[in-house]
Amino acid sequence: MNLRQLSIGSFNLYNLNEPGLPIYTDRDGWTQAEYDLKIDWAARQLRVLRADVFGFQELWHADSLARVLEAAGLAAEYDLLAPPEANGSRITCSAIVRKGLLHGAPEWIAAFPPGFVLQSRGDDPQTPRIAVNIEGFSRPVLHFTIRPRKTGPDVHVYVCHFKSKGPTKVFTEPWYKADRPLYTKHATGLGAALSTIRRTAEAAAVRFLLSEQMKDSDTPVIVLGDINDGQHSNTANILTEQPRYLVGESKGGGDTALYTAQTLQEYRDTRDVYYTHVHQDIRESLDHILVSQEFYDNSKKRIWIFDGLSINNDHLNFDDHKADGTTDHGVIRATFKYSPAKG
């Protein structure tokens, strides 16, 4: 392929599983009627947005995603990337890639990378030691490469789904049961802390992988997905390394930095209405597309230039997503034009 334009999308499927199969503690799962609505709505999103690459979260069964492609009339246009264990028994990240773009085989990264350590004795004598012992991702990270230009470098794509903000359920833990009167009043706070620690560790593990790959390599990278945190959160900051956004004719770029499509859009928008999730009337951006300096307008090593971000989120104004077949997240797409930096 020799694309002049490359579009990337992220889509949380809201527990897309075959009808009648259990989803978490819901033993009955989707009814056939609910399932049909989900397939139809997801298919319409794909037809409207038509991204070259779509990363998905919350897929349970690969057959359901294949059915979405068929309903959209796009099955012949895309390669579907789903792990063999996407048989309805667990949740996974997946993707569709326009035929001719995929280069090599996809991989699902379940374990944190070798050498990854989260331990410290503290920065000074007053700081207690800390050790975080987490060995892998809640949802395996999908990694694959695409080749949008015959003569250009491969682009590495990572699809992520980090631990949610919802408090981890601790009431079944032995330490909780051993002193239930003490811990009952603290279950929410301790559970929220555990979720935050897990999500932070997952972000740091992805950053570890990225830095290993990107440092001094000029490797184009796209990270996308539901990181369950906002644009300026510590989770996002770990992933992006908080690069400086340049203005005017300034040129630069960060070797291992990632730039958020949301921020790139804000630089050209007169009004910010970007949100991908609503919880208790609070609108947040939990779903992101992050790109390396090869996709950053002001980078000296630019290959692709940002051409806009779109988000379908009107359905978030309605609460009953089971009744209308929608997802509880917005669907986002970023577009880039081939425009290498000169000089």
Side-chain angles (χ1 to χ4, degrees), residues 177-200:
K177 293 178 178 179
D179 198 344
R180 191 178 298 272
L182 171 63
Y183 289 120
T184 297
K185 57 183 173 292
H186 299 297
T188 299
L190 293 174
L194 287 168
S195 294
T196 301
I197 291 167
R198 187 177 295 278
R199 184 171 61 255
T200 302

Side-chain angles (χ1 to χ4, degrees), residues 98-163:
R98 192 173 299 280
K99 286 188 179 295
L101 272 180
L102 187 65
H103 188 236
E107 62 171 340
W108 281 265
I109 306 169
F112 284 176
F116 178 74
V117 178
L118 288 175
Q119 295 182 11
S120 172
R121 292 174 296 175
D123 294 333
D124 59 64
Q126 292 179 250
T127 307
R129 66 172 60 243
I130 183 173
V132 179
N133 298 312
I134 305 175
E135 298 179 350
F137 296 99
S138 305
R139 314 288 182 241
V141 174
L142 168 58
H143 169 233
F144 59 93
T145 59
I146 58 174
R147 183 171 289 176
R149 303 280 301 178
K150 289 181 181 179
T151 57
D154 286 355
V155 178
H156 288 256
V157 182
Y158 294 84
V159 182
C160 304
H161 186 190
F162 295 161
K163 182 68 183 75

Side-chain angles (χ1 to χ4, degrees), residues 12-220:
N12 184 308
L13 294 166
Y14 187 44
N15 294 318
L16 181 59
N17 203 355
E18 292 287 275
L21 292 183
I23 302 171
Y24 300 118
T25 58
D26 181 357
R27 305 308 302 172
D28 298 324
W30 302 110
T31 67
Q32 186 65 52
E34 291 168 339
Y35 178 80
D36 291 343
L37 285 171
K38 285 180 68 64
I39 296 296
D40 178 68
W41 187 83
R44 281 186 280 124
Q45 296 302 307
L46 297 190
R47 281 198 302 269
V48 169
L49 294 172
R50 293 286 183 121
D52 296 304
V53 174
F54 248 119
F56 299 100
Q57 306 84 47
E58 293 198 22
L59 174 69
W60 288 73
H61 207 298
D63 288 352
S64 294
L65 185 52
R67 200 161 285 115
V68 171
L69 277 175
E70 291 170 2
L74 300 173
E77 298 183 27
Y78 288 88
D79 292 314
L80 193 161
L81 310 184
E85 60 268 24
N87 58 8
S89 61
R90 64 181 64 190
I91 196 169
T92 186
C93 292
S94 57
I96 58 172
V97 181
R98 192 173 299 280
K99 286 188 179 295
L101 272 180
L102 187 65
H103 188 236
E107 62 171 340
W108 281 265
I109 306 169
F112 284 176
F116 178 74
V117 178
L118 288 175
Q119 295 182 11
S120 172
R121 292 174 296 175
D123 294 333
D124 59 64
Q126 292 179 250
T127 307
R129 66 172 60 243
I130 183 173
V132 179
N133 298 312
I134 305 175
E135 298 179 350
F137 296 99
S138 305
R139 314 288 182 241
V141 174
L142 168 58
H143 169 233
F144 59 93
T145 59
I146 58 174
R147 183 171 289 176
R149 303 280 301 178
K150 289 181 181 179
T151 57
D154 286 355
V155 178
H156 288 256
V157 182
Y158 294 84
V159 182
C160 304
H161 186 190
F162 295 161
K163 182 68 183 75
S164 72
K165 291 184 180 182
T168 298
K169 296 179 176 62
V170 296
F171 56 83
T172 60
E173 298 294 332
W175 54 264
Y176 183 97
K177 293 178 178 179
D179 198 344
R180 191 178 298 272
L182 171 63
Y183 289 120
T184 297
K185 57 183 173 292
H186 299 297
T188 299
L190 293 174
L194 287 168
S195 294
T196 301
I197 291 167
R198 187 177 295 278
R199 184 171 61 255
T200 302
E202 291 175 334
V206 170
R207 168 38 65 187
F208 194 94
L209 289 168
L210 295 174
S211 295
E212 283 288 325
Q213 181 174 67
M214 297 170 70
K215 186 66 176 177
D216 300 325
S217 69
D218 295 338
T219 300

